[in-house]
Amino acid sequence: MTTEAFWKGNNDQPICAFTFDDGPSDLPLELWLSVLEEEEAIGTFFFTGEWIDRYPDKAREILSRGHVLAPHTYHHRRMAQVPKTVFLEQLKLTELAYQDATGLACPTFMRFPYCSFREENLDWLDEWGGYRDIEGVDSGDWRGVSSEDIIAKVEPVLDKGTIVVMHSNDIATGTPEALRALIQTAKQRGLRCVGIPEMLESAGLEVGYKPWKITVEVPSELDYPSEGWAPLANKEELSALAAQTIAWNVPQYTLQFNSEQEWLEHLENPIHEFGVIENRELFHIWQFEGSYWGFVRAGVVEDTLVLLDFAAKEAQADTLVYLLRWAAKHAMELGLTHIEARRDIRNMYEMCRQLGWQSEIKEEL
């Protein structure tokens, strides 16, 4: 067997980890987040791709508040019972949901629902991209038991390197109260409550990430002209754009920046990512009905126009059609054959299908 499940961190370091599976629908996520933050603890949330697709704003909130979000498969299947094709599909679907919701590459550690896995599954994880399964001490909260019952089960084993498996779903109503008491106990025992990445690093294990991209073939002609786009004109226009895009709840802003000034500085400076430097002449703004409705920042590498950053006031899939037409127009003018993007991958793929354009979702190598 090439890899093993990770059940416990370094016994010599005074750290422990509280982790939460599933994702709530009716109960507010704040019940868990507020306890963690009031007690100065970092939580790791193993949520399904299905939940992330349903609540992308909440997925971003987990990250923006300093916690960790990781895969729990897409459909919450018993993975010991599925064939390899379904197994790997569950991972890919979750990774794409994660990246589409957050704009970030998905971490390559996960948890099996129901702790359901067989040794062969661990080999498949390693084969897929060096994934690691994270298990731990079962709190028993999945039964919907009281906070007292949860505390009684976890407290005796709460020690250096302990990973506590809890739930953040509509059944685990006793968990938030138990969580507070257990964190306080951990601190009394001299333990820091950390995220799983730090727990893995304490054991000398590297945390990996799995990025995806979409590559689109530039069409021979456009079905409709690219309209409403204009190059960034001046600093005043950039300042106005920065203020308006914050009101759009742009994921890039909420995940990475704390003020309008920081966001403005980000927009002012060329992006250098994926081996591509932004061409500032390709910083365009989409205007409609007297206000800004979108922006795009792009660069060129070899035969490809790379969309480095973009956002729209109205986050509907068809706004990607306007972006794709803009990208195709400029790619044609530059003599390029491909367009590449790493945001809104699945919606962009579907819009390409509807336009009759050839596209492919690929793992970033």
Side-chain angles (χ1 to χ4, degrees):
M1 188 172 66
T2 55
T3 188
E4 296 179 356
F6 187 76
W7 290 86
K8 199 172 191 294
N10 191 326
N11 291 327
D12 297 325
Q13 293 196 22
I15 56 176
C16 65
F18 289 93
T19 67
F20 311 90
D21 293 0
D22 298 349
S25 296
D26 296 326
L27 290 179
L29 186 60
E30 187 64 30
L31 290 174
W32 288 263
L33 294 179
S34 61
V35 171
L36 288 165
E37 289 159 17
E38 288 164 11
E39 298 297 334
E40 300 180 321
I42 295 173
T44 300
F45 294 83
F46 290 98
F47 282 1
T48 66
E50 192 173 30
W51 186 92
I52 293 170
D53 270 339
R54 191 178 302 169
Y55 305 108
D57 55 336
K58 293 181 182 180
R60 293 191 292 270
E61 183 179 3
I62 290 169
L63 295 172
S64 68
R65 292 171 67 164
H67 302 289
V68 181
L69 180 65
H72 193 44
T73 75
Y74 191 86
H75 290 113
H76 205 274
R77 297 290 308 278
R78 290 188 181 272
M79 298 296 271
Q81 300 177 2
V82 304
K84 186 176 182 179
T85 53
V86 174
F87 185 99
L88 299 181
E89 179 184 55
Q90 286 286 304
L91 295 176
K92 178 179 178 180
L93 288 172
T94 309
E95 290 166 2
L96 291 173
Y98 189 106
Q99 187 166 330
D100 277 347
T102 68
L104 304 172
C106 184
T108 54
F109 58 87
M110 56 86 72
R111 175 170 291 148
F112 290 112
Y114 312 109
C115 194
S116 169
F117 66 94
R118 56 186 190 272
E119 288 192 358
E120 187 180 28
N121 298 150
L122 298 176
D123 288 332
W124 296 350
L125 280 183
D126 189 61
E127 175 187 324
W128 181 246
Y131 259 83
R132 190 169 295 275
D133 170 46
I134 309 297
E135 299 298 337
V137 174
D138 179 12
S139 68
D141 67 344
W142 52 271
R143 299 182 178 90
V145 297
S146 68
S147 60
E148 290 80 8
D149 288 340
I150 299 167
I151 294 167
K153 186 166 185 180
V154 175
E155 199 171 55
V157 294
L158 187 56
D159 201 352
K160 293 178 181 178
T162 299
I163 299 171
V164 183
V165 179
M166 308 181 90
H167 289 76
S168 176
N169 60 23
D170 299 326
I171 296 173
T173 55
T175 302
E177 185 178 345
L179 175 62
R180 187 183 299 279
L182 289 168
I183 293 174
Q184 291 173 353
T185 297
K187 290 192 288 188
Q188 290 167 6
R189 295 176 181 178
L191 305 175
R192 277 192 310 116
C193 305
V194 304
I196 288 299
E198 185 171 343
M199 188 65 75
L200 286 168
E201 290 165 1
S202 78
L205 300 173
E206 185 177 351
V207 178
Y209 297 86
K210 187 86 170 286
W212 292 85
K213 65 182 178 181
I214 182 171
T215 300
V216 182
E217 292 184 17
V218 176
S220 58
E221 59 182 9
L222 292 178
D223 55 347
Y224 289 93
S226 171
E227 297 178 333
W229 293 91
L232 175 69
N234 50 51
K235 289 186 176 181
E236 289 73 21
E237 188 172 59
L238 186 64
S239 181
L241 177 69
Q244 288 193 28
T245 49
I246 288 175
W248 300 351
N249 194 30
V250 173
Q252 301 94 300
Y253 171 76
T254 57
L255 284 172
Q256 301 178 45
F257 303 100
N258 297 311
S259 68
E260 182 178 330
Q261 182 58 37
E262 288 183 5
W263 176 238
L264 176 59
E265 290 173 2
H266 167 69
L267 294 175
E268 286 176 335
N269 295 304
I271 297 172
H272 187 181
E273 293 181 341
F274 318 114
V276 184
I277 299 175
E278 177 189 351
N279 181 340
R280 296 297 282 185
E281 294 181 0
L282 294 174
F283 190 149
H284 281 224
I285 300 175
W286 178 31
Q287 299 186 53
F288 180 69
E289 294 293 327
S291 65
Y292 302 136
W293 282 73
F295 74 86
V296 59
R297 304 169 70 179
V300 175
V301 59
E302 298 179 350
D303 63 350
T304 302
L305 179 71
V306 181
L307 305 181
L308 293 168
D309 194 14
F310 55 86
K313 183 176 183 178
E314 186 179 31
Q316 304 296 340
D318 69 339
T319 61
L320 294 176
V321 172
Y322 309 138
L323 175 65
L324 284 165
R325 288 180 181 140
W326 175 90
K329 173 179 179 291
H330 286 275
M332 291 173 186
E333 292 173 353
L334 294 168
L336 306 175
T337 58
H338 291 85
I339 301 162
E340 196 172 270
R342 292 165 178 81
R343 304 187 69 90
D344 293 316
I345 292 173
R346 292 169 300 167
N347 279 336
M348 192 172 288
Y349 181 83
E350 174 60 19
M351 293 304 102
C352 286
R353 187 191 69 80
Q354 294 182 20
L355 288 166
W357 297 8
Q358 296 298 310
S359 67
E360 183 181 4
I361 295 175
K362 303 177 179 180
E363 181 184 347
E364 185 89 60
L365 300 177

